[in-house]
Amino acid sequence: MVKDISFLNEEQKKFLMDYVKTKKVDAFNKVQKVAAIGYEGLENASSENMQLLIDEWVLIDYIDNGFVNNNTPCECGRPLRYQYIVKNNKSGEIKRLGVNHFEKHISLKKHVVKQIKKEFDLIDKEITEISEKTKAKWSIENEISYIPNDYKFNKADNIKKQLDMGLALSARQINYLIKEFNQKILSDNKTVNLPTHEVSNIDVYNYEEKKITSTVYSLSNIQKERIRELYNRGVKNPETICEFLIKNKIAPSHRYSTGKPKIFPSVCIFLENINGS
């Protein structure tokens, strides 16, 4: 966890602690199963299902005291700040360990422990990112330029709850939402054909209600290259791409009276061609 979260309220602190616990339990158990069967297609497996699949030790709980605490020792007696509680699926035995003693006390292989530590480190970095952004008064509008009004957040991932309580989102969560929004826009679109000369007269605010198919023109090779790069990185929202191009002086900043960039229709059409290719 991040060193200082004193600026957060109790609800926010509890949310982040629960978030870390859930993520670390999932990471520990998935790494073990992947190591055991050599199969990585387990991203959507629940923690409960993962525990049923693992033959031996599973992580069932995680404690962060905030400080080194004599009341939460490792099996060897060393006091811990972070205590990992594991259970043997065969015998039912429970052990309480520090992260550096997985190999010693439950005989996990070195490469498995190394991967578990790597996953734990990524989770801790994500929490640090969320906390630092929250402290800096982060706003979702600065990251995502367009959110469908009727988009329904997945209750299972708790992102809506996270936003409602005033916590920032991590880059991983933002990328996930952008992909979700793009998929929704594409699924809601209806295909229409427009003559090339009508492209500049598109009702840009209603673009999400229709798919536009036409010959792409007016974009330079450099602009097309940058759009493809963004698309391949998962950035597929046309408004986000337009603002990126403008901010980096790759496209002119001319806008319609509505505020939409004038390059927006061409970007939309080019994205449709990429998606259909």
Side-chain angles (χ1 to χ4, degrees), residues 12 14 18-19 33 48 60 76 78 81 83 112-113 117 151 191 213 225 238 241 272:
Q12 292 171 328
K14 184 180 185 306
D18 289 343
Y19 184 91
K33 189 56 185 175
E48 292 78 8
I60 59 173
C76 59
R78 179 182 178 181
R81 170 179 174 174
Q83 186 188 66
V112 175
V113 174
K117 287 182 178 180
Y151 176 76
T191 304
T213 58
E225 182 181 346
I241 292 174
E272 285 299 304

Side-chain angles (χ1 to χ4, degrees), residues 9-64:
N9 61 42
E10 292 306 312
E11 183 185 26
Q12 292 171 328
K13 290 177 184 176
K14 184 180 185 306
F15 179 91
L16 290 184
M17 291 296 293
D18 289 343
Y19 184 91
V20 171
K21 180 185 295 187
T22 299
K23 291 294 182 181
K24 288 195 172 184
V25 167
D26 288 345
F28 181 97
N29 296 333
K30 288 179 182 179
V31 168
Q32 275 226 80
K33 189 56 185 175
V34 169
I37 66 176
Y39 175 59
E40 298 183 358
L42 301 166
E43 294 80 3
N44 297 320
S46 68
S47 176
E48 292 78 8
N49 288 336
M50 191 60 58
Q51 290 182 30
L52 293 174
L53 293 171
I54 296 172
D55 292 331
E56 296 188 69
W57 295 99
V58 295
L59 182 63
I60 59 173
D61 204 356
Y62 159 78
I63 296 172
D64 176 5

Side-chain angles (χ1 to χ4, degrees), residues 181-229:
F181 297 159
N182 286 334
Q183 287 175 2
K184 174 165 179 52
I185 291 171
L186 288 174
S187 65
D188 289 347
N189 285 345
K190 296 179 180 179
T191 304
V192 297
N193 292 311
L194 291 179
T196 302
H197 69 274
E198 292 183 15
V199 171
S200 62
N201 297 320
I202 293 171
D203 180 355
V204 292
Y205 271 119
N206 289 326
Y207 171 75
E208 62 272 15
E209 297 178 2
K210 53 197 173 187
K211 275 189 177 178
I212 303 166
T213 58
S214 180
T215 304
V216 177
Y217 73 107
S218 79
L219 291 178
S220 69
N221 289 333
I222 293 177
Q223 289 168 343
K224 292 178 183 178
E225 182 181 346
R226 292 294 179 271
I227 293 171
R228 283 189 182 278
E229 288 176 359

Side-chain angles (χ1 to χ4, degrees), residues 175 179 226-236 244:
N175 288 336
K179 290 179 181 179
R226 292 294 179 271
I227 293 171
R228 283 189 182 278
E229 288 176 359
L230 291 168
Y231 183 92
N232 291 334
R233 286 164 49 192
V235 182
K236 301 178 183 180
F244 174 89

